[in-house]
């Protein structure tokens, strides 16, 4: 796997440190709230697992699964819900947890979808932001790192479902997906 990586952008230590800061910020902001973390499967899993351990206020967790990419490296623009929430979100302060915002299509769709269900608030925590590629307007209140427009893998991010288990964020060599 490692030989398919052109360059490491963020190693384990750097990820950990930034996530600790985000956790602190979130813990302050949600002190007297009704926090519910919603992870977007499967890319958010390592980020969510690390982030929730840095959150010091009570919270519950749930997951959604959507698909928009298939086996390609750019979005199809059509979002499909593969797994919906287990819990009701009425009165909850929702924090959507995502690995990366690219075109923004996925999160825009999810936020609009959840808005009609009576949540007290909806915010986004996203590890990576590829703002150069944005096609629709969406902003994350909690953002780990701004990244350049390369195809990235590791720490939850995949190419054709592989590389999610790398402990760092790296640039995938172009020859792998060309
Ligand atoms: P968006 O809808 O275009 O914002 O895409 C969001 C989703 O696309 C993320 O949850 C990722 O699963 C995937 N994605 C976007 N950029 C990358 C990347 O560089 N590497 C791997 N997955 C990506
Ligand atoms: Mg994803």
């Amino acid at each position: 796997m490692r030989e398919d990586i052109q360059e490491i952008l963020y190693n384990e230590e750097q990820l950990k440190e930034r996530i600790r800061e985000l956790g602190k910020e979130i813990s302050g902001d949600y002190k007297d709230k009704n926090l519910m973390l919603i992870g977007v499967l499967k890319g958010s899993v390592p980020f969510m697992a690390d982030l929730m351990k840095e959150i010091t206020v009570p919270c519950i967790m749930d997951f959604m699964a959507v698909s928009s990419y298939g086996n390609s490296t750019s979005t199809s623009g059509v979002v499909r819900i593969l797994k919906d929430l287990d819990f009701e979100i009425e009165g909850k302060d929702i924090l959507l947890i995502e690995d990366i915002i690219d075109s923004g299509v996925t999160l825009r769709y999810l936020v609009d979808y959840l808005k009609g269900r009576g949540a007290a608030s909806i915010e986004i925590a996203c590890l990576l932001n590829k703002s150069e590629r944005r096609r629709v307007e969406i902003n994350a209140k909690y953002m780990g790192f701004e990244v350049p427009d390369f195809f990235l893998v590791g720490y939850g991010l995949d190419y054709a479902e592989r590389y999610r288990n790398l402990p760092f964020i790296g640039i995938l060599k172009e020859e792998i997906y060309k």
Side-chain angles (χ1 to χ4, degrees):
M1 271 196 308
R2 181 62 186 84
E3 62 281 5
D4 298 345
I5 305 302
Q6 183 185 311
E7 188 193 328
I8 294 179
L9 287 187
Y10 299 104
N11 64 30
E12 259 184 294
E13 206 41 58
Q14 293 167 311
L15 292 168
K16 209 179 208 170
E17 201 179 305
R18 183 70 186 112
I19 290 168
R20 192 171 301 139
E21 291 171 359
L22 291 175
K24 244 189 206 158
E25 211 181 316
I26 292 166
S27 302
D29 292 350
Y30 286 88
K31 229 171 223 153
D32 301 304
K33 305 270 170 141
N34 206 349
L35 179 59
M36 174 172 174
L37 307 175
I38 299 180
V40 185
L41 292 171
K42 315 178 189 73
S44 70
V45 166
F47 176 44
M48 184 155 167
D50 285 347
L51 181 66
M52 66 190 298
K53 288 181 281 183
E54 301 293 342
I55 294 177
T56 55
V57 297
C59 65
I60 62 169
M61 67 195 282
D62 204 345
F63 291 97
M64 287 187 77
V66 296
S67 120
S68 68
Y69 270 45
N71 278 358
S72 138
T73 58
S74 67
T75 182
S76 64
V78 180
V79 181
R80 256 189 331 133
I81 293 183
L82 305 176
K83 186 222 167 286
D84 210 329
L85 296 170
D86 295 335
F87 301 134
E88 295 298 323
I89 62 171
E90 216 178 310
K92 297 279 193 300
D93 293 293
I94 303 298
L95 189 57
L96 264 171
I97 316 277
E98 197 24 334
D99 49 6
I100 185 167
I101 311 184
D102 185 77
S103 71
V105 169
T106 307
L107 278 172
R108 179 77 269 158
Y109 177 88
L110 282 176
V111 168
D112 292 344
Y113 178 78
L114 295 174
K115 259 188 183 158
R117 296 210 198 166
S121 66
I122 305 179
E123 296 291 352
I124 296 168
C126 196
L127 182 63
L128 307 174
N129 186 25
K130 232 192 243 178
S131 58
E132 268 176 73
R133 305 222 335 150
R134 203 73 90 250
R135 291 201 330 226
V136 297
E137 211 212 304
I138 187 90
N139 282 306
K141 183 163 185 192
Y142 309 97
M143 180 61 74
F145 300 101
E146 177 66 38
V147 291
D149 184 13
F150 292 104
F151 196 77
L152 309 175
V153 292
Y155 200 73
L157 293 164
D158 73 303
Y159 171 64
E161 296 301 324
R162 289 174 59 209
Y163 305 103
R164 293 193 198 273
N165 56 323
L166 287 171
F168 53 78
I169 303 278
I171 299 174
L172 187 63
K173 284 182 181 166
E174 243 177 74
E175 68 211 50
I176 306 295
Y177 56 87
K178 269 274 152 76

